[in-house]
Amino acid sequence: LIVVRGIIAAGRHGEARDIVRQFAQFEQEGTIPNMIRGDDTDNRDTSDAPLWLLRVADELAAAMGREAVLEMDCGGRPLIAVLRSIVLSIISGTPNGMGMDAASGLVFSPSHFTWMDTNHPAGTPRQGYPIEIQALWQAGLAFMGRVDDARQRKRWQDLAAQVRQSILALFWNPDLGYLC
């Protein structure tokens, strides 16, 4: 899904749409497969994949039109329903261990679930609250705050603002002038 951003930028919107649809149809309780191998979608040890799905849906909607993207059928559900399921499941906690800390709004990631796929314990674990996960989460919430139905928008906007504030409070290093 990270590569889909380049596919969208290259103007290959149909291909990007097909990839988004393929991954979105396998969403379950806020998780999507890290990779799809034929009928095997069991590898859900990822915290960034569902967040990347939100990100590329945002960019694809900007390129192709909001309604065309958010209403596309993804295994019997419109994409917007899949995206809402991801957000709601992360808030309440996913079966694979992702979950939102209510006090900060930040997302907890198990040890090897980030884009780095560290294969813990062989590599350095990324367990906790990696900044890139928080950035994707905040961007996804901001997107949902613009596109979800009117009943939900304010909730996502408020949560996105809480996450942004937590990122600045907990990750900003004033001595260095950047997020850590």
Side-chain angles (χ1 to χ4, degrees):
L1 290 168
I2 295 169
V3 173
V4 173
R5 300 182 75 205
I7 294 170
I8 294 167
R12 297 166 59 181
H13 302 148
E15 290 175 44
R17 181 196 60 229
D18 292 346
I19 295 168
V20 167
R21 179 183 290 132
Q22 183 176 21
F23 276 90
Q25 71 183 339
F26 294 115
E27 185 272 339
Q28 296 173 354
E29 300 178 88
T31 69
I32 62 171
N34 199 28
M35 63 183 73
I36 300 169
R37 287 180 243 153
D39 292 335
D40 181 5
T41 61
D42 290 341
N43 180 355
R44 293 173 181 269
D45 289 351
T46 174
S47 56
D48 62 333
L51 300 174
W52 277 115
L53 185 62
L54 284 157
R55 185 74 203 120
V56 297
D58 185 356
E59 293 179 9
L60 191 59
M64 294 185 70
R66 186 181 288 181
E67 188 173 323
V69 172
L70 296 178
E71 295 304 319
M72 86 171 146
D73 180 65
C74 299
R77 296 181 293 169
L79 179 60
I80 188 65
V82 171
L83 301 176
R84 189 179 306 117
S85 177
I86 288 170
V87 171
L88 289 169
S89 295
I90 290 171
I91 290 170
S92 63
T94 65
N96 67 358
M98 285 178 67
M100 187 189 82
D101 173 67
S104 66
L106 300 179
V107 173
F108 175 84
S109 177
S111 64
H112 66 280
F113 279 29
T114 70
W115 62 274
M116 294 174 69
D117 288 336
T118 58
N119 192 22
H120 180 71
T124 305
R126 299 279 294 147
Q127 180 172 318
Y129 298 86
I131 186 61
E132 69 273 15
I133 297 302
Q134 310 320 315
L136 287 168
W137 176 234
Q138 192 279 329
L141 290 168
F143 171 58
M144 292 297 285
R146 295 190 311 273
V147 301
D148 205 357
D149 63 50
R151 296 170 301 171
Q152 295 286 355
R153 283 188 194 140
K154 175 91 168 93
R155 179 181 183 191
W156 307 144
Q157 291 166 359
D158 290 349
L159 188 51
Q162 178 187 5
V163 171
R164 186 179 188 332
Q165 185 61 31
S166 293
I167 288 171
L168 291 174
L170 298 170
F171 290 88
W172 181 254
N173 185 323
D175 295 335
L176 298 174
Y178 55 78
L179 296 169
C180 294

